[in-house]
Amino acid sequence: MIENRKFIIIGVFCLVGLIYAARLFYLQILDDSYSLESSSNSIKRVIEIPYRGQIYDRNEKLMVYNTPVYDLYVTPKRVKIPDTLAFCRMMDVTRQEFDSIMDLAKTYSPVKPSVFLRQLSKEDYARIQDALVDYRGFEPVMSSMRTYPAHTMANALGYVSEISKKKLENQETPYYRQGDYVGHNGLEEQYEVELRGRRGIKYVMQNVRGVAKGSFKGGEFDTAAVAGKNLYTGIDVEVQQYADSLMQNKVGSILAIDPSTGEILVSVSAPTYDPNQLSSRFFSKNYRKLIKNPYKPLINRPIMASYRPGSTFKLIQALIAQQQGSLFTNTVYGHGGSPMRCHCHGGNNLRGAVRFSCNPYFYQVFRKYIYHNGNPNTFKASAVGLQEWHDHAMKFGIGQKLGVDLPSELRGNLPSVETYNRLYKSELSWKFSNIYSLSIGEGELLISPLKLANLAATLANRGWYIPPHYVKGIGKIGEGIPAAFKEKHYTDIDPKYFVPVIEGMRMAVMAGTVKRDADIPGIELCGKTGTSQNAKFGHAHDHSIFIGFAPMNNPKIAIAVFVENAGWGGVAAASAAALVAERYLKRKNEAQGLKLQEWLMKQNYMPPLSMLPKPRTPKKPDSTAKQPVVKDTIRKPRPMMTHNDGASRSTVGGN
């Protein structure tokens, strides 16, 4: 029995020894992974950066593509330069620039590669390729540079540049390295994960001088890079470029939406810049120049600017008052009893009030709405009515983020009971006389062009909208679209109440507050003018606003136009909207449109430099930094004066 146990124990030890021997044989003879890790002197691990996905318009016209370039990396610990001045001449850098770059590289890491020069063209790289063999510590990495053949939509597209230190440190999942490119702002940032693709790894054999001698083990351990997915947008690049031309010498925005899908067709922010300026090796120089520009071309005005909506907000007042039951189609109000003046003759019904944008009419509509179910002499009635008004207006997407697929969207401001309690520091110290300016879109209301374009789409659809978005497909048209961009949002307004409002909008274009030439034949444009207060430069420089859609039935385009400092909404803004709608629907501009186009393109509404604030000292660009915002300031309402499109003008204002 004892003998048997002895043999069992010996057998166990022998078995364990055989297992260890087999494992050592596998690791040392068969498995190359440890050999690969220990062969850093002869085998180099090269990370292959995939090509970034390209960006197309709705008709598959290329808007952004990649141009092959080379980045030169340096590893300070390995650097050996026989003649520094000769090296600087070859690289076309000064000795001071060379020392600065090397100091930064050493600060980052003496043993890790970092960028020495970016975006060398194929010609520049060919010139220095052979000579690089004599300079140890420098290695080229093939990369790409974003190129923008359409030269448009810079703010919405964003740009690609070196990852910031802050973003590098805040990565949730380690992916980026020092010197990597990453999307900043716009679609480039929003769809970074889809556009960047997946990196590959390649193991290359090299001699003692660092000269490549081919793939290790025939590429057995290599992983191929996967190119980023292409992004298809709803933008119509032909109409986009045309809208850009209309906004020359103007500050503002044009935003057009397909109301049936929520796809953004046109996204103009003016003034703008050529996006190619921020895709070259001179990025920093060009960025500093743009950020110093007093007209702020880096602001994406359609989603980042904030204005009072002016008379365009009367459309919401008319709809929610009908739904409440405090307004009827045949309701007529004169000018009596209103603190607001108006250019029209009064005595309008609902259609006429929309057509002529009658201030006193909508003052009475708002007053009746607020006090519909209460005593007009009590604070409680004002508070109850205002809260009801606030909740209905929220259904139109006002006072909240719509969720557009761009970073930095503003929420805007839709005042509530809490707003006035805070503003007047008491629940009992404000009443209707403090808030009546809301009736015509003034006071504490703040709204972006995006939200007004969405309002136009909601009117076109008779009560619903799909959140505005740029993407039409990821990888392929119609694929990969987030579910949020397919969901309908309803306003809870009965569709029948849209009929008189829309008829009034059509009358406003045909023979109302809109410039006569903007009623272009064959378009059937329905619209509403507005003028947003801008007392900073004097009321002669109020902002021109127009929202509308076309055609009247089965609409194909909804549009909002802001032209800063251009005055009445029925002139500059309405003209631009009509021309863009004609170009989109007809694919050309006919006689009347061409005449209107000639007039509009001659107009210059740029404020003098002497009237603008001095620009701040530019900071290093960083996608995580807050972008500047154009907005109006909250203030107490003041007495109202007359205005030609029915919008109010106060004695005090801000922008």
Side-chain angles (χ1 to χ4, degrees), residues 155-159 167 183-192 298 300 302-304 401 403-410 450 470 623-625 627:
N155 302 89
L157 289 172
Y159 56 90
K167 194 164 187 176
H184 291 279
N185 299 329
L187 295 174
E188 294 281 16
E189 179 178 335
Q190 185 75 22
Y191 293 100
E192 167 66 16
L298 289 173
N300 188 13
I303 68 165
M304 294 171 66
K401 291 186 178 182
V404 67
D405 49 348
L406 286 186
S408 305
E409 180 191 355
L410 287 184
L450 174 72
Y470 289 83
S623 66
T624 59
Q627 295 295 316

PDB file of all heavy atoms in Angstrom, residues 155-159 167 183-192 298 300 302-304 401 403-410 450 470 623-625 627:
ATOM      1  N   ASN A 155     -18.953  76.396 -40.215  1.00  0.00           N
ATOM      2  CA  ASN A 155     -19.355  76.321 -38.809  1.00  0.00           C
ATOM      3  C   ASN A 155     -20.069  75.022 -38.479  1.00  0.00           C
ATOM      4  O   ASN A 155     -19.863  74.443 -37.410  1.00  0.00           O
ATOM      5  CB  ASN A 155     -20.254  77.503 -38.453  1.00  0.00           C
ATOM      6  CG  ASN A 155     -19.588  78.834 -38.702  1.00  0.00           C
ATOM      7  OD1 ASN A 155     -19.684  79.366 -39.800  1.00  0.00           O
ATOM      8  ND2 ASN A 155     -18.899  79.366 -37.716  1.00  0.00           N
ATOM      9  N   ALA A 156     -20.928  74.558 -39.374  1.00  0.00           N
ATOM     10  CA  ALA A 156     -21.678  73.331 -39.112  1.00  0.00           C
ATOM     11  C   ALA A 156     -20.810  72.093 -39.303  1.00  0.00           C
ATOM     12  O   ALA A 156     -20.993  71.091 -38.612  1.00  0.00           O
ATOM     13  CB  ALA A 156     -22.902  73.257 -40.015  1.00  0.00           C
ATOM     14  N   LEU A 157     -19.864  72.138 -40.215  1.00  0.00           N
ATOM     15  CA  LEU A 157     -18.998  70.977 -40.443  1.00  0.00           C
ATOM     16  C   LEU A 157     -17.976  70.807 -39.325  1.00  0.00           C
ATOM     17  O   LEU A 157     -17.634  69.690 -38.954  1.00  0.00           O
ATOM     18  CB  LEU A 157     -18.271  71.118 -41.784  1.00  0.00           C
ATOM     19  CG  LEU A 157     -19.127  70.950 -43.039  1.00  0.00           C
ATOM     20  CD1 LEU A 157     -18.315  71.304 -44.279  1.00  0.00           C
ATOM     21  CD2 LEU A 157     -19.674  69.535 -43.148  1.00  0.00           C
ATOM     22  N   GLY A 158     -17.495  71.914 -38.762  1.00  0.00           N
ATOM     23  CA  GLY A 158     -16.425  71.832 -37.772  1.00  0.00           C
ATOM     24  C   GLY A 158     -15.084  71.654 -38.454  1.00  0.00           C
ATOM     25  O   GLY A 158     -14.938  71.884 -39.662  1.00  0.00           O
ATOM     26  N   TYR A 159     -14.091  71.204 -37.694  1.00  0.00           N
ATOM     27  CA  TYR A 159     -12.759  71.010 -38.269  1.00  0.00           C
ATOM     28  C   TYR A 159     -12.052  69.893 -37.519  1.00  0.00           C
ATOM     29  O   TYR A 159     -12.500  69.413 -36.480  1.00  0.00           O
ATOM     30  CB  TYR A 159     -11.947  72.311 -38.199  1.00  0.00           C
ATOM     31  CG  TYR A 159     -11.820  72.902 -36.813  1.00  0.00           C
ATOM     32  CD1 TYR A 159     -10.772  72.551 -35.966  1.00  0.00           C
ATOM     33  CD2 TYR A 159     -12.753  73.829 -36.335  1.00  0.00           C
ATOM     34  CE1 TYR A 159     -10.655  73.087 -34.686  1.00  0.00           C
ATOM     35  CE2 TYR A 159     -12.652  74.369 -35.064  1.00  0.00           C
ATOM     36  CZ  TYR A 159     -11.594  73.998 -34.245  1.00  0.00           C
ATOM     37  OH  TYR A 159     -11.493  74.518 -32.978  1.00  0.00           O
ATOM     38  N   LYS A 167      -8.680  67.163 -23.337  1.00  0.00           N
ATOM     39  CA  LYS A 167      -9.463  66.051 -23.868  1.00  0.00           C
ATOM     40  C   LYS A 167      -8.673  64.749 -23.804  1.00  0.00           C
ATOM     41  O   LYS A 167      -9.246  63.676 -23.582  1.00  0.00           O
ATOM     42  CB  LYS A 167      -9.870  66.352 -25.308  1.00  0.00           C
ATOM     43  CG  LYS A 167     -10.956  65.435 -25.834  1.00  0.00           C
ATOM     44  CD  LYS A 167     -11.600  65.991 -27.084  1.00  0.00           C
ATOM     45  CE  LYS A 167     -12.791  65.157 -27.495  1.00  0.00           C
ATOM     46  NZ  LYS A 167     -13.507  65.725 -28.649  1.00  0.00           N
ATOM     47  N   GLY A 183     -11.947  65.389 -34.200  1.00  0.00           N
ATOM     48  CA  GLY A 183     -12.924  66.369 -34.663  1.00  0.00           C
ATOM     49  C   GLY A 183     -13.248  67.393 -33.584  1.00  0.00           C
ATOM     50  O   GLY A 183     -13.438  67.038 -32.420  1.00  0.00           O
ATOM     51  N   HIS A 184     -13.311  68.648 -33.981  1.00  0.00           N
ATOM     52  CA  HIS A 184     -13.668  69.737 -33.066  1.00  0.00           C
ATOM     53  C   HIS A 184     -14.865  70.480 -33.649  1.00  0.00           C
ATOM     54  O   HIS A 184     -14.853  70.872 -34.822  1.00  0.00           O
ATOM     55  CB  HIS A 184     -12.509  70.728 -32.904  1.00  0.00           C
ATOM     56  CG  HIS A 184     -11.340  70.189 -32.161  1.00  0.00           C
ATOM     57  ND1 HIS A 184     -11.279  70.115 -30.790  1.00  0.00           N
ATOM     58  CD2 HIS A 184     -10.165  69.675 -32.608  1.00  0.00           C
ATOM     59  CE1 HIS A 184     -10.125  69.604 -30.419  1.00  0.00           C
ATOM     60  NE2 HIS A 184      -9.441  69.320 -31.506  1.00  0.00           N
ATOM     61  N   ASN A 185     -15.890  70.680 -32.810  1.00  0.00           N
ATOM     62  CA  ASN A 185     -17.075  71.431 -33.211  1.00  0.00           C
ATOM     63  C   ASN A 185     -17.792  70.763 -34.392  1.00  0.00           C
ATOM     64  O   ASN A 185     -17.245  69.912 -35.085  1.00  0.00           O
ATOM     65  CB  ASN A 185     -16.724  72.886 -33.541  1.00  0.00           C
ATOM     66  CG  ASN A 185     -16.129  73.611 -32.358  1.00  0.00           C
ATOM     67  OD1 ASN A 185     -16.451  73.322 -31.211  1.00  0.00           O
ATOM     68  ND2 ASN A 185     -15.235  74.550 -32.630  1.00  0.00           N
ATOM     69  N   GLY A 186     -19.009  71.176 -34.611  1.00  0.00           N
ATOM     70  CA  GLY A 186     -19.751  70.735 -35.774  1.00  0.00           C
ATOM     71  C   GLY A 186     -19.908  69.223 -35.906  1.00  0.00           C
ATOM     72  O   GLY A 186     -19.804  68.454 -34.956  1.00  0.00           O
ATOM     73  N   LEU A 187     -20.178  68.802 -37.135  1.00  0.00           N
ATOM     74  CA  LEU A 187     -20.386  67.382 -37.419  1.00  0.00           C
ATOM     75  C   LEU A 187     -19.135  66.558 -37.183  1.00  0.00           C
ATOM     76  O   LEU A 187     -19.212  65.384 -36.830  1.00  0.00           O
ATOM     77  CB  LEU A 187     -20.855  67.218 -38.876  1.00  0.00           C
ATOM     78  CG  LEU A 187     -22.223  67.833 -39.211  1.00  0.00           C
ATOM     79  CD1 LEU A 187     -22.505  67.724 -40.696  1.00  0.00           C
ATOM     80  CD2 LEU A 187     -23.333  67.178 -38.415  1.00  0.00           C
ATOM     81  N   GLU A 188     -17.964  67.181 -37.370  1.00  0.00           N
ATOM     82  CA  GLU A 188     -16.707  66.449 -37.152  1.00  0.00           C
ATOM     83  C   GLU A 188     -16.598  65.986 -35.698  1.00  0.00           C
ATOM     84  O   GLU A 188     -16.076  64.903 -35.422  1.00  0.00           O
ATOM     85  CB  GLU A 188     -15.504  67.331 -37.513  1.00  0.00           C
ATOM     86  CG  GLU A 188     -15.378  67.689 -38.972  1.00  0.00           C
ATOM     87  CD  GLU A 188     -14.782  66.568 -39.826  1.00  0.00           C
ATOM     88  OE1 GLU A 188     -14.734  65.409 -39.358  1.00  0.00           O
ATOM     89  OE2 GLU A 188     -14.369  66.857 -40.963  1.00  0.00           O
ATOM     90  N   GLU A 189     -17.077  66.779 -34.761  1.00  0.00           N
ATOM     91  CA  GLU A 189     -17.053  66.390 -33.350  1.00  0.00           C
ATOM     92  C   GLU A 189     -18.237  65.494 -32.995  1.00  0.00           C
ATOM     93  O   GLU A 189     -18.081  64.494 -32.293  1.00  0.00           O
ATOM     94  CB  GLU A 189     -17.062  67.626 -32.452  1.00  0.00           C
ATOM     95  CG  GLU A 189     -17.050  67.296 -30.966  1.00  0.00           C
ATOM     96  CD  GLU A 189     -17.012  68.528 -30.080  1.00  0.00           C
ATOM     97  OE1 GLU A 189     -16.544  69.585 -30.539  1.00  0.00           O
ATOM     98  OE2 GLU A 189     -17.461  68.438 -28.921  1.00  0.00           O
ATOM     99  N   GLN A 190     -19.417  65.846 -33.496  1.00  0.00           N
ATOM    100  CA  GLN A 190     -20.626  65.106 -33.150  1.00  0.00           C
ATOM    101  C   GLN A 190     -20.528  63.637 -33.572  1.00  0.00           C
ATOM    102  O   GLN A 190     -20.962  62.741 -32.844  1.00  0.00           O
ATOM    103  CB  GLN A 190     -21.837  65.760 -33.821  1.00  0.00           C
ATOM    104  CG  GLN A 190     -23.171  65.155 -33.436  1.00  0.00           C
ATOM    105  CD  GLN A 190     -23.614  65.550 -32.045  1.00  0.00           C
ATOM    106  OE1 GLN A 190     -23.168  66.557 -31.517  1.00  0.00           O
ATOM    107  NE2 GLN A 190     -24.496  64.760 -31.455  1.00  0.00           N
ATOM    108  N   TYR A 191     -19.954  63.397 -34.747  1.00  0.00           N
ATOM    109  CA  TYR A 191     -19.862  62.030 -35.273  1.00  0.00           C
ATOM    110  C   TYR A 191     -18.417  61.534 -35.313  1.00  0.00           C
ATOM    111  O   TYR A 191     -18.033  60.774 -36.202  1.00  0.00           O
ATOM    112  CB  TYR A 191     -20.505  61.968 -36.660  1.00  0.00           C
ATOM    113  CG  TYR A 191     -21.999  62.194 -36.617  1.00  0.00           C
ATOM    114  CD1 TYR A 191     -22.538  63.442 -36.939  1.00  0.00           C
ATOM    115  CD2 TYR A 191     -22.870  61.188 -36.211  1.00  0.00           C
ATOM    116  CE1 TYR A 191     -23.913  63.665 -36.876  1.00  0.00           C
ATOM    117  CE2 TYR A 191     -24.235  61.400 -36.150  1.00  0.00           C
ATOM    118  CZ  TYR A 191     -24.757  62.642 -36.484  1.00  0.00           C
ATOM    119  OH  TYR A 191     -26.116  62.854 -36.409  1.00  0.00           O
ATOM    120  N   GLU A 192     -17.634  61.956 -34.326  1.00  0.00           N
ATOM    121  CA  GLU A 192     -16.217  61.587 -34.260  1.00  0.00           C
ATOM    122  C   GLU A 192     -16.018  60.067 -34.268  1.00  0.00           C
ATOM    123  O   GLU A 192     -15.180  59.548 -35.012  1.00  0.00           O
ATOM    124  CB  GLU A 192     -15.592  62.201 -32.997  1.00  0.00           C
ATOM    125  CG  GLU A 192     -14.222  61.664 -32.608  1.00  0.00           C
ATOM    126  CD  GLU A 192     -13.136  61.992 -33.605  1.00  0.00           C
ATOM    127  OE1 GLU A 192     -13.337  62.888 -34.453  1.00  0.00           O
ATOM    128  OE2 GLU A 192     -12.075  61.344 -33.541  1.00  0.00           O
ATOM    129  N   LEU A 298     -16.493  82.583 -36.207  1.00  0.00           N
ATOM    130  CA  LEU A 298     -16.441  81.240 -35.625  1.00  0.00           C
ATOM    131  C   LEU A 298     -17.738  80.857 -34.915  1.00  0.00           C
ATOM    132  O   LEU A 298     -17.932  79.697 -34.554  1.00  0.00           O
ATOM    133  CB  LEU A 298     -15.273  81.127 -34.643  1.00  0.00           C
ATOM    134  CG  LEU A 298     -13.871  81.114 -35.271  1.00  0.00           C
ATOM    135  CD1 LEU A 298     -12.797  81.177 -34.195  1.00  0.00           C
ATOM    136  CD2 LEU A 298     -13.679  79.873 -36.134  1.00  0.00           C
ATOM    137  N   ASN A 300     -21.399  79.678 -34.700  1.00  0.00           N
ATOM    138  CA  ASN A 300     -22.384  79.004 -35.554  1.00  0.00           C
ATOM    139  C   ASN A 300     -23.757  79.580 -35.218  1.00  0.00           C
ATOM    140  O   ASN A 300     -24.489  79.061 -34.377  1.00  0.00           O
ATOM    141  CB  ASN A 300     -22.341  77.493 -35.314  1.00  0.00           C
ATOM    142  CG  ASN A 300     -23.194  76.749 -36.315  1.00  0.00           C
ATOM    143  OD1 ASN A 300     -23.638  77.297 -37.325  1.00  0.00           O
ATOM    144  ND2 ASN A 300     -23.456  75.482 -36.039  1.00  0.00           N
ATOM    145  N   PRO A 302     -26.846  79.757 -36.459  1.00  0.00           N
ATOM    146  CA  PRO A 302     -28.144  79.062 -36.434  1.00  0.00           C
ATOM    147  C   PRO A 302     -28.474  78.377 -35.117  1.00  0.00           C
ATOM    148  O   PRO A 302     -29.640  78.282 -34.747  1.00  0.00           O
ATOM    149  CB  PRO A 302     -27.993  78.037 -37.571  1.00  0.00           C
ATOM    150  CG  PRO A 302     -27.060  78.689 -38.526  1.00  0.00           C
ATOM    151  CD  PRO A 302     -26.068  79.417 -37.653  1.00  0.00           C
ATOM    152  N   ILE A 303     -27.453  77.896 -34.383  1.00  0.00           N
ATOM    153  CA  ILE A 303     -27.754  77.208 -33.119  1.00  0.00           C
ATOM    154  C   ILE A 303     -27.170  77.914 -31.903  1.00  0.00           C
ATOM    155  O   ILE A 303     -27.532  77.602 -30.772  1.00  0.00           O
ATOM    156  CB  ILE A 303     -27.258  75.750 -33.132  1.00  0.00           C
ATOM    157  CG1 ILE A 303     -25.718  75.687 -33.146  1.00  0.00           C
ATOM    158  CG2 ILE A 303     -27.853  74.976 -34.279  1.00  0.00           C
ATOM    159  CD1 ILE A 303     -25.176  74.335 -32.798  1.00  0.00           C
ATOM    160  N   MET A 304     -26.269  78.884 -32.108  1.00  0.00           N
ATOM    161  CA  MET A 304     -25.594  79.508 -30.979  1.00  0.00           C
ATOM    162  C   MET A 304     -25.981  80.965 -30.756  1.00  0.00           C
ATOM    163  O   MET A 304     -25.693  81.526 -29.705  1.00  0.00           O
ATOM    164  CB  MET A 304     -24.074  79.404 -31.155  1.00  0.00           C
ATOM    165  CG  MET A 304     -23.546  77.974 -31.108  1.00  0.00           C
ATOM    166  SD  MET A 304     -21.802  77.867 -31.564  1.00  0.00           S
ATOM    167  CE  MET A 304     -21.064  78.773 -30.210  1.00  0.00           C
ATOM    168  N   LYS A 401     -33.745  72.530 -25.487  1.00  0.00           N
ATOM    169  CA  LYS A 401     -32.893  72.070 -26.580  1.00  0.00           C
ATOM    170  C   LYS A 401     -33.679  71.106 -27.453  1.00  0.00           C
ATOM    171  O   LYS A 401     -34.338  70.202 -26.950  1.00  0.00           O
ATOM    172  CB  LYS A 401     -31.637  71.401 -26.028  1.00  0.00           C
ATOM    173  CG  LYS A 401     -30.679  72.366 -25.343  1.00  0.00           C
ATOM    174  CD  LYS A 401     -29.395  71.663 -24.941  1.00  0.00           C
ATOM    175  CE  LYS A 401     -28.414  72.652 -24.301  1.00  0.00           C
ATOM    176  NZ  LYS A 401     -27.141  72.008 -23.932  1.00  0.00           N
ATOM    177  N   GLY A 403     -32.245  69.118 -29.568  1.00  0.00           N
ATOM    178  CA  GLY A 403     -31.457  67.899 -29.744  1.00  0.00           C
ATOM    179  C   GLY A 403     -30.828  67.773 -31.116  1.00  0.00           C
ATOM    180  O   GLY A 403     -30.531  66.656 -31.571  1.00  0.00           O
ATOM    181  N   VAL A 404     -30.602  68.905 -31.797  1.00  0.00           N
ATOM    182  CA  VAL A 404     -29.935  68.866 -33.104  1.00  0.00           C
ATOM    183  C   VAL A 404     -28.574  68.191 -32.961  1.00  0.00           C
ATOM    184  O   VAL A 404     -27.936  68.256 -31.907  1.00  0.00           O
ATOM    185  CB  VAL A 404     -29.785  70.297 -33.669  1.00  0.00           C
ATOM    186  CG1 VAL A 404     -28.824  71.133 -32.834  1.00  0.00           C
ATOM    187  CG2 VAL A 404     -29.336  70.279 -35.124  1.00  0.00           C
ATOM    188  N   ASP A 405     -28.125  67.523 -34.011  1.00  0.00           N
ATOM    189  CA  ASP A 405     -26.876  66.762 -33.944  1.00  0.00           C
ATOM    190  C   ASP A 405     -25.637  67.641 -34.179  1.00  0.00           C
ATOM    191  O   ASP A 405     -24.829  67.387 -35.075  1.00  0.00           O
ATOM    192  CB  ASP A 405     -26.885  65.583 -34.911  1.00  0.00           C
ATOM    193  CG  ASP A 405     -27.320  65.963 -36.319  1.00  0.00           C
ATOM    194  OD1 ASP A 405     -27.844  67.081 -36.518  1.00  0.00           O
ATOM    195  OD2 ASP A 405     -27.155  65.131 -37.231  1.00  0.00           O
ATOM    196  N   LEU A 406     -25.513  68.654 -33.333  1.00  0.00           N
ATOM    197  CA  LEU A 406     -24.323  69.499 -33.272  1.00  0.00           C
ATOM    198  C   LEU A 406     -24.080  69.837 -31.812  1.00  0.00           C
ATOM    199  O   LEU A 406     -25.040  69.993 -31.046  1.00  0.00           O
ATOM    200  CB  LEU A 406     -24.509  70.809 -34.052  1.00  0.00           C
ATOM    201  CG  LEU A 406     -24.489  70.785 -35.575  1.00  0.00           C
ATOM    202  CD1 LEU A 406     -24.551  72.210 -36.113  1.00  0.00           C
ATOM    203  CD2 LEU A 406     -23.264  70.086 -36.122  1.00  0.00           C
ATOM    204  N   PRO A 407     -22.825  69.973 -31.399  1.00  0.00           N
ATOM    205  CA  PRO A 407     -22.567  70.430 -30.031  1.00  0.00           C
ATOM    206  C   PRO A 407     -22.895  71.921 -29.890  1.00  0.00           C
ATOM    207  O   PRO A 407     -23.001  72.631 -30.887  1.00  0.00           O
ATOM    208  CB  PRO A 407     -21.060  70.179 -29.853  1.00  0.00           C
ATOM    209  CG  PRO A 407     -20.507  70.189 -31.246  1.00  0.00           C
ATOM    210  CD  PRO A 407     -21.590  69.672 -32.135  1.00  0.00           C
ATOM    211  N   SER A 408     -23.070  72.375 -28.662  1.00  0.00           N
ATOM    212  CA  SER A 408     -23.233  73.805 -28.333  1.00  0.00           C
ATOM    213  C   SER A 408     -24.592  74.399 -28.653  1.00  0.00           C
ATOM    214  O   SER A 408     -24.731  75.619 -28.776  1.00  0.00           O
ATOM    215  CB  SER A 408     -22.141  74.657 -29.018  1.00  0.00           C
ATOM    216  OG  SER A 408     -20.863  74.187 -28.685  1.00  0.00           O
ATOM    217  N   GLU A 409     -25.638  73.582 -28.793  1.00  0.00           N
ATOM    218  CA  GLU A 409     -26.974  74.142 -29.005  1.00  0.00           C
ATOM    219  C   GLU A 409     -27.426  74.893 -27.758  1.00  0.00           C
ATOM    220  O   GLU A 409     -27.267  74.417 -26.636  1.00  0.00           O
ATOM    221  CB  GLU A 409     -27.986  73.036 -29.318  1.00  0.00           C
ATOM    222  CG  GLU A 409     -29.388  73.576 -29.549  1.00  0.00           C
ATOM    223  CD  GLU A 409     -30.476  72.509 -29.592  1.00  0.00           C
ATOM    224  OE1 GLU A 409     -30.153  71.312 -29.531  1.00  0.00           O
ATOM    225  OE2 GLU A 409     -31.666  72.884 -29.664  1.00  0.00           O
ATOM    226  N   LEU A 410     -28.017  76.069 -27.962  1.00  0.00           N
ATOM    227  CA  LEU A 410     -28.530  76.861 -26.852  1.00  0.00           C
ATOM    228  C   LEU A 410     -29.973  76.477 -26.522  1.00  0.00           C
ATOM    229  O   LEU A 410     -30.748  76.133 -27.413  1.00  0.00           O
ATOM    230  CB  LEU A 410     -28.492  78.355 -27.186  1.00  0.00           C
ATOM    231  CG  LEU A 410     -27.121  79.034 -27.212  1.00  0.00           C
ATOM    232  CD1 LEU A 410     -27.309  80.523 -27.456  1.00  0.00           C
ATOM    233  CD2 LEU A 410     -26.367  78.811 -25.923  1.00  0.00           C
ATOM    234  N   LEU A 450     -32.538  78.222 -35.166  1.00  0.00           N
ATOM    235  CA  LEU A 450     -32.924  76.817 -35.276  1.00  0.00           C
ATOM    236  C   LEU A 450     -34.357  76.604 -34.797  1.00  0.00           C
ATOM    237  O   LEU A 450     -35.147  75.892 -35.439  1.00  0.00           O
ATOM    238  CB  LEU A 450     -31.972  75.951 -34.447  1.00  0.00           C
ATOM    239  CG  LEU A 450     -32.332  74.470 -34.343  1.00  0.00           C
ATOM    240  CD1 LEU A 450     -32.078  73.770 -35.666  1.00  0.00           C
ATOM    241  CD2 LEU A 450     -31.552  73.793 -33.228  1.00  0.00           C
ATOM    242  N   TYR A 470     -28.891  67.113 -39.149  1.00  0.00           N
ATOM    243  CA  TYR A 470     -28.075  67.181 -40.360  1.00  0.00           C
ATOM    244  C   TYR A 470     -27.893  65.812 -41.009  1.00  0.00           C
ATOM    245  O   TYR A 470     -27.754  65.701 -42.217  1.00  0.00           O
ATOM    246  CB  TYR A 470     -26.699  67.765 -40.042  1.00  0.00           C
ATOM    247  CG  TYR A 470     -26.713  69.242 -39.732  1.00  0.00           C
ATOM    248  CD1 TYR A 470     -27.016  69.703 -38.463  1.00  0.00           C
ATOM    249  CD2 TYR A 470     -26.438  70.194 -40.719  1.00  0.00           C
ATOM    250  CE1 TYR A 470     -27.043  71.058 -38.162  1.00  0.00           C
ATOM    251  CE2 TYR A 470     -26.457  71.547 -40.436  1.00  0.00           C
ATOM    252  CZ  TYR A 470     -26.767  71.978 -39.156  1.00  0.00           C
ATOM    253  OH  TYR A 470     -26.795  73.323 -38.872  1.00  0.00           O
ATOM    254  N   SER A 623     -11.806  72.024 -28.232  1.00  0.00           N
ATOM    255  CA  SER A 623     -13.187  71.631 -28.456  1.00  0.00           C
ATOM    256  C   SER A 623     -13.994  71.612 -27.186  1.00  0.00           C
ATOM    257  O   SER A 623     -15.214  71.642 -27.205  1.00  0.00           O
ATOM    258  CB  SER A 623     -13.245  70.243 -29.107  1.00  0.00           C
ATOM    259  OG  SER A 623     -12.757  69.261 -28.222  1.00  0.00           O
ATOM    260  N   THR A 624     -13.317  71.540 -26.033  1.00  0.00           N
ATOM    261  CA  THR A 624     -14.048  71.472 -24.768  1.00  0.00           C
ATOM    262  C   THR A 624     -14.368  72.862 -24.226  1.00  0.00           C
ATOM    263  O   THR A 624     -15.119  73.001 -23.287  1.00  0.00           O
ATOM    264  CB  THR A 624     -13.230  70.714 -23.709  1.00  0.00           C
ATOM    265  OG1 THR A 624     -11.987  71.390 -23.508  1.00  0.00           O
ATOM    266  CG2 THR A 624     -12.972  69.296 -24.162  1.00  0.00           C
ATOM    267  N   ALA A 625     -13.790  73.896 -24.836  1.00  0.00           N
ATOM    268  CA  ALA A 625     -14.029  75.256 -24.344  1.00  0.00           C
ATOM    269  C   ALA A 625     -15.408  75.728 -24.779  1.00  0.00           C
ATOM    270  O   ALA A 625     -15.916  75.350 -25.817  1.00  0.00           O
ATOM    271  CB  ALA A 625     -12.957  76.205 -24.883  1.00  0.00           C
ATOM    272  N   GLN A 627     -18.024  78.042 -26.457  1.00  0.00           N
ATOM    273  CA  GLN A 627     -17.966  78.932 -27.599  1.00  0.00           C
ATOM    274  C   GLN A 627     -18.685  80.239 -27.270  1.00  0.00           C
ATOM    275  O   GLN A 627     -19.600  80.272 -26.443  1.00  0.00           O
ATOM    276  CB  GLN A 627     -18.624  78.265 -28.799  1.00  0.00           C
ATOM    277  CG  GLN A 627     -17.895  77.024 -29.274  1.00  0.00           C
ATOM    278  CD  GLN A 627     -16.523  77.356 -29.814  1.00  0.00           C
ATOM    279  OE1 GLN A 627     -16.334  78.310 -30.555  1.00  0.00           O
ATOM    280  NE2 GLN A 627     -15.547  76.567 -29.441  1.00  0.00           N
TER     281      GLN A 627
END
